[in-house]
C-alpha cells in the first residue's frame, strides 16, 4: 500500500522539480534591462551618475565598455553622486542604430548633447564608438571631470 502511494508521488515530485528548474529567477539580468533607445540612455546615465560602472557596462557596446575600463579609475575617483535632470529627449532609430538628442539642466544651464546607440543581439546599447576618434570630445570630457574634481 505504501509502495503504491510512493509510486503515485514520484511523478508529482518529478513534475514539480521540472517546473522549479525551468523557471528563471525573477531578477534575471535580461528581464530587468530597459530596451528602447530612450530608456537605455536614461538608465545608462543614471548608473554613470551613481558610479555603478559594472551596471553601466551592461548597457554598453564593446567599444564603450573598453572606454569605461580605460577610465574606470578616473570615474570612480569622483565620489560625488550626480542626478542628471533630463529636460527633453528625442530618439530616432534606423535599423540597428539610434540617436537620442537630449537637453539636460545642470547648475541652472541647459546643455544639449546626444547618445548614440546600437542594437546588438536584440538589446539597445550606448555606443561611444563614433566618439573614439574625436580627441576634442575626449578632451572636453576630461576637462569637465577635472572641473568637478577641482584638479585644474
Amino acid at each position: 500500500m505504501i509502495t503504491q502511494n510512493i509510486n503515485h508521488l514520484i511523478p508529482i515530485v518529478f513534475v514539480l522539480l521540472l517546473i522549479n528548474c525551468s523557471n528563471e529567477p525573477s531578477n534575471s539580468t535580461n528581464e530587468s534591462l530597459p530596451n528602447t533607445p530612450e530608456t537605455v540612455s536614461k538608465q545608462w546615465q543614471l548608473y554613470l551618475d551613481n558610479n555603478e560602472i559594472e551596471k553601466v557596462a551592461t548597457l554598453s557596446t564593446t567599444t564603450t565598455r573598453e572606454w569605461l575600463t580605460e577610465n574606470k579609475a578616473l570615474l570612480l575617483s569622483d565620489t560625488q553622486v550626480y542626478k542628471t535632470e533630463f529636460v527633453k529627449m528625442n530618439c530616432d532609430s534606423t535599423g540597428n542604430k539610434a540617436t537620442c538628442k537630449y537637453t539636460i539642466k545642470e547648475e541652472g544651464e541647459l546643455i544639449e548633447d546626444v547618445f548614440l546607440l546600437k542594437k546588438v543581439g536584440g538589446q539597445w546599447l550606448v555606443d561611444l564608438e563614433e566618439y573614439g576618434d574625436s580627441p576634442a570630445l575626449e578632451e572636453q570630457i576630461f576637462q569637465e571631470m577635472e572641473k568637478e574634481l577641482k584638479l585644474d
Side-chain angles (χ1 to χ4, degrees):
M1 180 108 159
I2 293 177
T3 307
Q4 267 185 332
N5 288 340
I6 290 176
N7 287 337
H8 290 327
L9 287 177
I10 290 175
I12 293 170
V13 170
F14 182 71
V15 169
L16 290 174
L17 285 173
L18 277 176
I19 291 171
N20 190 37
C21 291
S22 67
N23 288 339
E24 291 186 30
S26 61
N27 62 350
S28 173
T29 304
N30 291 337
E31 287 180 28
S32 62
L33 290 179
N35 201 17
T36 65
E38 183 173 345
T39 57
V40 168
S41 298
K42 288 180 177 180
Q43 188 65 55
W44 188 90
Q45 185 64 49
L46 177 66
Y47 289 152
L48 190 63
D49 286 351
N50 291 293
N51 289 334
E52 297 178 279
I53 304 304
E54 301 306 319
K55 289 182 179 180
V56 175
T58 65
L59 294 174
S60 301
T61 61
T62 302
T63 304
T64 305
R65 286 193 306 270
E66 289 170 1
W67 180 86
L68 287 167
T69 300
E70 290 172 11
N71 296 288
K72 186 174 183 177
L74 183 59
L75 292 167
L76 292 177
S77 67
D78 182 6
T79 57
Q80 182 174 349
V81 176
Y82 298 94
K83 182 174 182 337
T84 299
E85 182 183 341
F86 287 96
V87 176
K88 68 178 179 176
M89 181 178 285
N90 295 311
C91 297
D92 294 313
S93 61
T94 305
N96 289 334
K97 293 191 176 201
T99 302
C100 291
K101 296 178 182 180
Y102 64 91
T103 303
I104 60 171
K105 189 173 188 178
E106 187 176 292
E107 297 178 11
E109 286 186 53
L110 293 178
I111 300 169
E112 294 181 355
D113 206 345
V114 298
F115 280 107
L116 301 175
L117 297 99
K118 279 187 182 176
K119 198 170 204 178
V120 178
Q123 175 65 49
W124 284 106
L125 302 171
V126 172
D127 184 35
L128 298 180
E129 184 173 354
E130 292 188 33
Y131 292 140
D133 296 330
S134 173
L137 181 63
E138 285 186 7
E139 182 63 29
Q140 179 185 354
I141 291 169
F142 285 113
Q143 286 176 355
E144 288 296 318
M145 294 176 86
E146 286 177 340
K147 184 174 113 180
E148 292 296 328
L149 294 170
K150 296 174 179 54
L151 296 176
D152 55 342

